[in-house]
């Protein structure tokens, strides 16, 4: 009898954790496991804002897949997924095709541009390692140009960030620490540099406790970050952005516009014919797609309703990892013809948003609010816990964050 | 009686060394010395190729003027010289005017573009700290773009250097060391990157011993540097350069074109009405301008004929520093109404050209040829000797090069 073929698409939080958990549950000759990913590394999406600002090197954010996946049990294919045919049980790659008996879709997110004119062409996006180091270099290059260009080219040292959600806020927090270093490096007075956060919604950090939001904004403003709340971006051009403030259009001249205002599920899911809700697959309790018993969906491509609020849980690393544990267990049951499928239940361990060096805000243990240094330590503890879970002590020591006083 | 007014224009090798030597020869209340410079720092022009390649930080190359000039004796004015009126004995600055009894012109060089079309707009020049760090960031930014652009954008990772003279060769030597680091940083295979040196003349390092030139080219070629000798640049465009090879025009696509093919004296000298030869003031034996007894010219603005060869001595840091010592002495004589003016005589201590890390070529002690590591150590010894001369042991320890094995 042939071994069942399990194919896992994507080595993000969901796909990676599924692979690592599942490989430990099965024997070497029990299942053929294949993991497909564009790069030979996994990266921590939640650290990319630091790489983008230039406050953390991207090599700390990425993890070689071979360092955590057991290549005796898992066949790794470095390729890009083009489409999925769930009826024929096939996956089309750029350079090949894979057949499966069981599939896990963990293809992650794409940036949502909400149809804003010029955004695709003129904004930089914090979406992967390549983009993150491009943003770092893009900003640094413009700072290096400042003293070489005739006239006062303030657009070169103005940084506009679209979105004051989680990513936008964490990014400007890092920028506030990075900018003084750039000013020193390129002999630019700090007061000439502007960091502007533009948010269409009525508040920064929507969904967070109001008191924490106010703390965050005060702290960031004290570090020179400007906020334009209730101010949608209407257009992005080569020279800057056009925003709408109190019914008036206004131009902000900048050569550094970073869009951090929203993500959507990888469009391959919808294009492959799965039934979707807001572009995502609304999975069953056992994390399987509603229309296919052999397809699991994890992370940003999966939608799970929070029955208390009637709205979907936001896509986070935390929920993706919890989903992966259920999927690994259920995969094991299915390949062994078991029937003890587990149901997913979200265990909210809280959320902490970093505000740059030694500062953060968060809610943990249900309703305990955290501020400042304490919160920043908690943030690092959460980051480190993930590494421990993924790759054990070795990985934690290699890639962990231990500078609690920085 | 009023003190005589001595004004020194420019804090390059010549102006700086004149100031430092002269301030030690006179008392605090004997002369009014004013030093004018665009920046509040002096920099070592001969190290800029390292800053440009990104192998040495520019803060090691620049020296705060206050750290070596005695501000009790010297009045420092940070301003830009616009013109000199030698008849009225006045210097026009961007923000003021200075009168003088004695003047030292050390205004350095400008890049010579030889009328090549598009060069001014599309080439980067290694001419000061601002340009050097721009070049470093320009190249790094293009490398960071490579994996973010659709198609094979090899022009982003092709570096073309105009000129295989001293600066061009030293620069590609550093690039050959830097490029593997950039490849690692941005996940680019080294073999995709091209470093191309384009030289109009019939040889690289014109004027150097043939055997040494061959050694240099072999070593650089082994590190992946390509040479196009006898190949003038006809035009520089936004997309690259057009060169003429064997009567045929050929395009090299590159977003990184650095022009290192020639310098000329600061044009302010000629525009201020001094008698010039090749744009420079052909000074008398005592380093004074032929038509003004109270004006000295030092460094790249001065021309001194080598009577043996019938050609001018090339403008180097070495000759500028030797000129400065004569000028300091002669200034002292003049302000004290003495008449023992010294004559300048060039004492050729040899020349060493760096080929990147741990490699160099040179001629010292008249005709002794040096290669490889020995030459690279000698190069550092020369660099360090300058620091010792300029600012003593304190400066040497702060800014010296001591990594002989790197």
């Amino acid at each position: 009898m042939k071994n069942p073929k399990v194919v896992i698409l994507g080595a993000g939080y969901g796909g990676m954790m599924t692979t690592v958990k599942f490989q430990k549950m099965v024997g070497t000759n029990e299942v053929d496991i294949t993991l497909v990913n564009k790069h030979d590394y996994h990266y921590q999406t939640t650290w990319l804002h630091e790489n983008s600002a230039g406050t953390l090197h991207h090599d700390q954010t990425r993890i070689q897949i071979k360092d955590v996946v057991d290549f005796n049990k898992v066949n790794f294919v470095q390729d890009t997924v083009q489409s999925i045919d769930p009826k024929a049980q096939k996956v089309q790659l750029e350079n090949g095709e894979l057949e499966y008996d069981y599939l896990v879709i963990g293809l992650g997110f794409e940036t949502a541009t909400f149809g804003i004119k010029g955004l695709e062409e003129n904004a930089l996006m914090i979406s992967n390692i390549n983009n993150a180091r491009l943003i770092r270099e893009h900003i640094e290059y413009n700072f290096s140009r400042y003293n070489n260009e005739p006239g006062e080219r303030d657009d070169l040292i103005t940084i506009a960030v679209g979105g004051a959600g989680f990513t936008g806020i964490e990014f400007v927090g890092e920028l506030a620490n990075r900018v003084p270093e750039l000013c020193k490096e390129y002999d630019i007075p700090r007061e000439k540099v502007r960091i502007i956060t533009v948010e269409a919604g009525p508040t920064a950090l929507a969904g967070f406790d109001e008191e924490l939001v106010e703390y965050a904004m005060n702290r960031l403003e004290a570090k020179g970050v400007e906020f334009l709340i209730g101010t949608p971006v209407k257009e992005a051009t080569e020279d800057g952005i056009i925003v709408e403030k109190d019914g008036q259009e206004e131009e902000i001249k900048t050569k550094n516009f970073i869009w951090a205002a929203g993500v959507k599920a990888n469009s391959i899911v919808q294009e492959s014919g799965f039934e979707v809700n807001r572009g995502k697959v609304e999975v069953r309790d056992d994390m399987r797609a509603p229309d296919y018993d052999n397809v699991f969906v994890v992370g940003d491509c999966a939608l799970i309703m929070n029955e208390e609020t009637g709205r979907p849980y936001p896509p986070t690393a935390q929920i993706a990892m919890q989903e992966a544990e259920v999927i690994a267990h259920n995969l094991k049951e299915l390949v062994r013809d078991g029937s003890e499928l587990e149901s997913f239940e979200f265990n909210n361990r809280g959320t902490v948003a970093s505000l740059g060096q030694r500062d953060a805000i968060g809610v943990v243990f249900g309703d305990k609010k955290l501020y400042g240094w304490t919160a920043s330590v908690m943030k690092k503890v959460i980051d480190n816990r993930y590494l421990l879970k993924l790759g054990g002590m070795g990985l934690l020591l290699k890639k962990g964050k231990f500078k609690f006083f920085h």
Side-chain angles (χ1 to χ4, degrees), chain A:
Chain A
M1 221 187 84
K2 273 173 67 182
N3 286 336
K5 288 195 179 92
V6 173
V7 171
I8 300 161
L9 304 180
Y13 289 103
M16 200 64 176
M17 197 57 89
T18 302
T19 308
V20 167
K21 292 282 166 191
F22 185 55
Q23 72 185 4
K24 286 178 190 155
M25 294 174 175
V26 292
T28 316
N29 295 311
E30 192 181 350
V31 198
D32 289 348
I33 311 173
T34 301
L35 172 65
V36 182
N37 197 53
K38 203 186 279 190
H39 307 289
D40 60 0
Y41 55 82
H42 158 74
Y43 56 85
Q44 298 212 52
T45 312
T46 58
W47 295 12
L48 289 176
H49 64 282
E50 295 174 70
N51 310 140
S52 303
T55 49
L56 182 80
H57 193 268
H58 54 263
D59 279 340
Q60 203 177 337
T61 296
R62 63 177 166 181
I63 295 160
Q64 294 299 314
I65 288 172
K66 67 175 165 48
D67 289 350
V68 278
V69 168
D70 182 352
F71 281 8
N72 292 314
K73 285 185 178 171
V74 178
N75 172 33
F76 175 64
V77 175
Q78 188 177 340
D79 208 333
T80 305
V81 176
Q82 306 279 34
S83 63
I84 302 161
D85 183 343
K87 294 205 179 77
Q89 297 185 192
K90 282 179 181 173
V91 178
Q92 199 59 47
L93 307 177
E94 210 170 87
N95 306 298
E97 199 182 66
L98 289 172
E99 291 183 1
Y100 64 82
D101 297 308
Y102 299 97
L103 183 70
V104 181
I105 302 175
L107 290 170
F109 68 93
E110 293 177 358
T111 305
T113 56
F114 306 112
I116 297 170
K117 199 176 157 192
L119 203 67
E120 198 90 52
E121 302 83 351
N122 298 303
L124 293 159
M125 322 274 184
I126 304 176
S127 51
N128 57 43
I129 294 280
N130 275 331
N131 284 339
R133 61 190 168 194
L134 177 67
I135 292 169
R136 178 192 73 189
E137 290 306 313
H138 184 96
I139 293 172
E140 184 153 4
Y141 179 53
N142 282 335
F143 273 66
S144 81
R145 288 170 64 193
Y146 183 71
N147 278 322
N148 286 281
E149 302 272 341
E152 297 271 307
R153 288 287 308 277
D154 290 339
D155 59 326
L156 292 172
I157 53 171
T158 295
I159 306 171
V161 178
F166 207 87
T167 306
I169 288 294
E170 288 202 315
F171 179 53
V172 294
E174 296 300 318
L175 279 180
N177 291 140
R178 177 66 177 146
V179 159
E181 293 173 9
L182 288 173
C183 287
K184 187 161 175 286
E185 182 71 8
Y186 298 105
D187 300 328
I188 297 167
R190 170 63 185 89
E191 62 274 16
K192 293 252 180 200
V193 178
R194 293 180 72 189
I195 306 171
I196 308 168
T197 314
V198 185
E199 168 61 49
T203 174
L205 289 168
F208 253 83
D209 174 275
E210 257 180 58
E211 206 181 337
L212 293 176
V213 174
E214 192 168 320
Y215 173 89
M217 286 181 70
N218 282 341
R219 291 303 292 254
L220 292 172
E221 280 174 340
K223 291 183 189 174
V225 175
E226 301 168 52
F227 286 95
L228 293 173
I229 302 295
T231 309
V233 174
K234 307 303 286 184
E235 189 181 343
T237 69
E238 267 191 35
D239 299 323
I241 54 173
I242 293 156
V243 299
E244 190 183 301
K245 181 80 188 158
D246 305 325
Q248 297 275 327
E249 292 207 342
E250 199 180 298
E251 189 186 9
I252 299 171
K253 286 197 185 298
T254 176
K255 289 285 181 199
N256 310 290
F257 176 46
I258 295 92
W259 183 243
V263 296
K264 59 181 185 190
N266 194 318
S267 51
I268 288 174
V269 174
Q270 179 157 11
E271 288 160 9
S272 298
F274 289 97
E275 193 188 313
V276 291
N277 176 351
R278 306 163 210 216
K280 303 179 179 202
V281 178
E282 192 170 350
V283 290
R284 292 183 252 173
D285 286 349
D286 56 19
M287 296 304 301
R288 287 189 288 181
D291 26 11
Y292 297 96
D293 282 344
N294 61 342
V295 177
F296 292 87
V297 189
V298 67
D300 296 348
C301 296
L303 185 136
I304 298 170
M305 278 293 170
N306 179 345
E307 285 175 12
E308 278 177 45
T309 64
R311 287 184 303 160
Y313 286 114
T316 61
Q318 185 184 178
I319 200 168
M321 283 152 56
Q322 292 182 20
E323 291 166 3
E325 300 205 34
V326 173
I327 293 173
H329 171 89
N330 291 352
L331 268 176
K332 181 203 66 184
E333 285 296 305
L334 291 177
V335 298
R336 287 183 181 159
D337 294 321
S339 57
E340 304 282 313
L341 295 199
E342 278 179 4
S343 284
F344 174 78
E345 214 170 308
F346 182 47
N347 171 14
N348 190 351
R349 292 169 166 278
T351 316
V352 184
S354 158
L355 304 174
Q357 204 171 297
R358 296 179 64 178
D359 205 357
I361 51 167
V363 180
V364 292
F365 311 127
D367 60 355
K368 185 164 165 41
K369 292 182 203 174
L370 292 179
Y371 298 85
W373 182 70
T374 319
S376 82
V377 169
M378 183 57 86
K379 178 88 182 170
K380 291 190 177 77
V381 168
I382 293 169
D383 286 341
N384 289 345
R385 197 187 288 146
Y386 169 68
L387 290 169
L388 193 64
K389 213 155 187 168
L390 187 71
M393 209 55 191
L395 187 67
L396 174 59
L397 291 175
K398 218 161 123 182
K399 307 276 182 178
K401 290 181 173 174
F402 301 106
K403 293 182 179 166
F404 295 113
F405 297 92
H406 289 267

